[in-house]
Amino acid sequence: MKSCLVVDDSGVIRKVARRILEELNFSVEEAADGQQALDRCRIKKPDAILLDWNMPVVDGLEFLVALRKEPDGHVPIVVFCSTENDLDHITRAIAAGANEYIMKPFDREIIEAKFREVGLIA
Amino acid sequence: MTPAEFEFLSGFIRARSGISLADDKIYLFQSRLVPVLSRHQFSDIAALVRSLRLSTSGPLADDVVDAMTTNETLFFRDRLPFDHFANRLLPGLLARPGRSGAIRIWSAAASTGQEAYSLAMLCAEARGALGGTRVEILGTDLSPAALARAESGRYTQFEVQRGLPIGMLAKYFTKDGDDWVISPTIRAMVKFRSFNLLDSFSPLGRFDLIFCRNVLIYFDIDVKRMIFAKLAEALPDDGALVLGSAETVIGITDQFTLHPELRGIYIKTRASQSGRR
Ligand SMILES: C[S@@+](CC[C@H](N)C(=O)[O-])C[C@H]1O[C@@H](n2cnc3c(N)ncnc32)[C@H](O)[C@@H]1O
């Protein structure tokens, strides 16, 4: 079973994402901001990270830049999931090492398509 | 809908498009004809059928046919055929001895254009290998509504998140309001044109490669066989035909054989080897 860390400051979104990901056979952990996510990743790197952009303390982009500098920080497949849906944000996310990008609102079909895209689902 | 009305409508759709609708598809007529009823101000299907019986050509007839087409598609649908295209088919075409002129690719049931644009993006990615070789991609479809969307190159946020890798979105699209629009370079590689697969293919010319995906599934075996014969004529010996994941030539025609390695790809049988009818 693959693991996915859901990073979002909205409890509602984390819950929706968790349900979808569990249906797709992932074991799910949650973090409410980039700092919590980084702390989790220092203990154990998940296979996938579903990452919001705008969050208090450490935002999604800052987290991603920090993660990619960690030992084995390149391992997790990072899928941004954000309401920031313009080209500028997308380009910055890719440059920082994001593997895919979901523009909110999302549903099960989009998550499944994007996770398949990056090889997280066969 | 009465059995007689269903008989008439399904016969009409089959004659005009090849699409075969068995009587378990009555609900399809009922749901899809709703917008046509209101556009042409009919109170019910019975009234529409009465009018269609008087004249089976014209705007009403066209709208009924259009309404009964299934235009579902997505970028890089099923992925694998597009990997085969980029890794094997396109390099194969470029390496062909005696090759000259542009490479012509046909998306024979293009719908809203995602298949044709997916191929165009892969050709843009292969610019190095192409050298100066021009690629012409022709997308055709029966549905004017679908073609108009293909022409516009404009897709919703939902559509660009189905099958299109984010790197490709960032590279080949710009955002306009809530929609995403394909870049002029990619747009310029593709032409769209209205075309019925039941008609003669000769006005379209010949092709080096044909994608005819997820349309033959709607046709009866006789129509499929007739279309395979025309597809074979439009291709050179050993030319490749790409079908949808639920489609095959097996048991229908001997004018194509399975590609020895690539799933979903069919190769035109050399004239000398096929029992020509
Ligand atoms: C499901 S779409 C396939 C789109 C794309 N090739 C794919 O695989 O995703 C089928 C398309 O076939 C078109 N079609 C149906 N009958 C046709 C005919 N007789 N001639 C041309 N196009 C036809 C429909 O209008 C529809 O857009």
Side-chain angles (χ1 to χ4, degrees), chain A residues 85-87 90-91 94 99-105 107 109-110 113-114 117, chain B residues 72 79 157-158 160-167 169-171 173-175 180:
Chain A
N85 55 10
D86 56 279
L87 209 50
I90 293 173
T91 312
I94 296 172
N99 300 84
E100 258 300 339
Y101 199 109
I102 292 171
M103 297 176 265
K104 283 179 184 164
D107 60 9
E109 189 179 344
I110 290 177
K114 289 292 187 181
E117 192 60 55
Chain B
E72 164 81 7
R79 191 82 231 178
Q157 177 166 303
F158 177 71
V160 298
Q161 300 206 77
R162 295 179 75 203
L164 184 67
I166 197 68
L169 178 75
K171 206 162 159 186
F173 288 79
T174 51
K175 199 164 185 231
W180 292 84

Side-chain angles (χ1 to χ4, degrees), chain B residues 67-177:
Chain B
M68 295 315 295
T69 60
T70 301
N71 307 122
E72 164 81 7
T73 186
L74 53 148
F75 289 102
F76 299 101
R77 183 172 190 169
D78 303 327
R79 191 82 231 178
L80 195 63
F82 294 92
D83 290 345
H84 290 335
F85 171 73
N87 302 330
R88 300 285 298 273
L89 299 175
L90 185 60
L93 290 176
L94 287 168
R96 229 171 11 181
R99 181 182 65 80
S100 70
I103 290 182
R104 296 195 77 221
I105 304 171
W106 184 19
S107 170
S111 188
T112 43
Q114 283 92 329
E115 181 175 274
Y117 289 132
S118 298
L119 293 169
M121 286 185 271
L122 291 177
C123 291
E125 295 284 299
R127 214 171 7 243
L130 282 169
T133 305
R134 237 168 16 96
V135 178
E136 290 173 15
I137 299 165
L138 177 68
T140 63
D141 201 280
L142 181 61
S143 160
L147 277 177
R149 296 214 44 222
E151 291 271 0
S152 75
R154 176 180 281 271
Y155 297 96
T156 64
Q157 177 166 303
F158 177 71
E159 288 166 329
V160 298
Q161 300 206 77
R162 295 179 75 203
L164 184 67
I166 197 68
M168 293 264 196
L169 178 75
K171 206 162 159 186
Y172 297 116
F173 288 79
T174 51
K175 199 164 185 231
D176 183 24

Side-chain angles (χ1 to χ4, degrees), chain A residues 15-70:
Chain A
K15 211 166 141 194
V16 172
R18 169 187 284 275
R19 213 188 40 235
I20 295 173
L21 287 162
E22 284 178 347
E23 276 169 26
L24 294 171
N25 243 324
F26 283 84
S27 70
V28 177
E29 295 213 44
E30 298 178 22
D33 63 52
Q35 187 56 54
Q36 285 185 18
L38 210 50
D39 295 343
R40 279 239 163 272
C41 287
R42 283 184 176 138
I43 300 166
K44 193 171 186 302
K45 304 263 178 313
D47 298 305
I49 301 175
L50 190 68
L51 181 63
D52 185 22
W53 193 304
N54 294 314
M55 291 178 292
V57 195
V58 172
D59 75 19
L61 192 72
E62 291 163 342
F63 160 77
L64 178 56
V65 171
L67 171 75
R68 293 305 193 207
K69 286 186 187 140
E70 296 274 312

Side-chain angles (χ1 to χ4, degrees), chain B residues 5-269:
Chain B
E5 286 161 359
F6 175 79
E7 278 298 297
F8 172 77
L9 279 174
S10 61
F12 166 72
I13 293 295
R14 182 186 321 233
R16 280 284 303 263
S17 68
I19 297 171
S20 163
L21 293 156
D23 53 11
D24 59 339
K25 296 282 162 55
I26 286 190
Y27 72 91
L28 261 189
F29 279 111
Q30 274 156 350
S31 59
R32 291 189 176 177
L33 289 180
V34 171
V36 183
L37 291 181
S38 66
R39 191 169 328 130
H40 292 268
Q41 303 185 331
F42 290 114
S43 53
D44 53 19
I45 289 187
L48 179 147
V49 168
R50 275 198 300 279
S51 179
L52 203 55
R53 279 185 195 276
L54 294 177
S55 163
T56 48
S57 62
L60 172 64
D62 292 349
D63 284 356
V64 170
V65 174
D66 198 346
M68 295 315 295
T69 60
T70 301
N71 307 122
E72 164 81 7
T73 186
L74 53 148
F75 289 102
F76 299 101
R77 183 172 190 169
D78 303 327
R79 191 82 231 178
L80 195 63
F82 294 92
D83 290 345
H84 290 335
F85 171 73
N87 302 330
R88 300 285 298 273
L89 299 175
L90 185 60
L93 290 176
L94 287 168
R96 229 171 11 181
R99 181 182 65 80
S100 70
I103 290 182
R104 296 195 77 221
I105 304 171
W106 184 19
S107 170
S111 188
T112 43
Q114 283 92 329
E115 181 175 274
Y117 289 132
S118 298
L119 293 169
M121 286 185 271
L122 291 177
C123 291
E125 295 284 299
R127 214 171 7 243
L130 282 169
T133 305
R134 237 168 16 96
V135 178
E136 290 173 15
I137 299 165
L138 177 68
T140 63
D141 201 280
L142 181 61
S143 160
L147 277 177
R149 296 214 44 222
E151 291 271 0
S152 75
R154 176 180 281 271
Y155 297 96
T156 64
Q157 177 166 303
F158 177 71
E159 288 166 329
V160 298
Q161 300 206 77
R162 295 179 75 203
L164 184 67
I166 197 68
M168 293 264 196
L169 178 75
K171 206 162 159 186
Y172 297 116
F173 288 79
T174 51
K175 199 164 185 231
D176 183 24
D178 290 335
D179 294 337
W180 292 84
V181 180
I182 195 98
S183 76
T185 2
I186 302 297
R187 181 66 192 81
M189 296 170 72
V190 186
K191 287 200 173 56
F192 291 101
R193 143 170 194 187
S194 167
F195 183 75
N196 189 336
L197 290 169
L198 300 184
D199 293 342
S200 160
F201 291 4
S202 35
L204 303 178
R206 293 170 63 84
F207 296 94
D208 298 294
L209 174 63
I210 299 174
F211 274 62
C212 183
R213 307 190 63 217
N214 302 299
V215 63
L216 297 178
I217 31 168
Y218 300 104
F219 301 158
D220 288 339
I221 188 159
D222 296 340
V223 178
K224 285 182 189 161
R225 191 171 284 136
M226 184 246 315
I227 290 176
F228 279 132
K230 295 194 287 185
L231 288 167
E233 263 177 51
L235 283 167
D237 272 351
D238 301 328
L241 168 69
V242 185
L243 298 180
S245 56
E247 295 162 332
T248 182
V249 302
I250 298 170
I252 305 174
T253 179
D254 56 9
Q255 291 182 293
F256 289 92
T257 50
L258 308 193
H259 189 288
E261 296 156 57
L262 310 179
R263 240 185 86 198
I265 315 285
Y266 300 83
I267 301 295
K268 177 178 168 181
T269 318

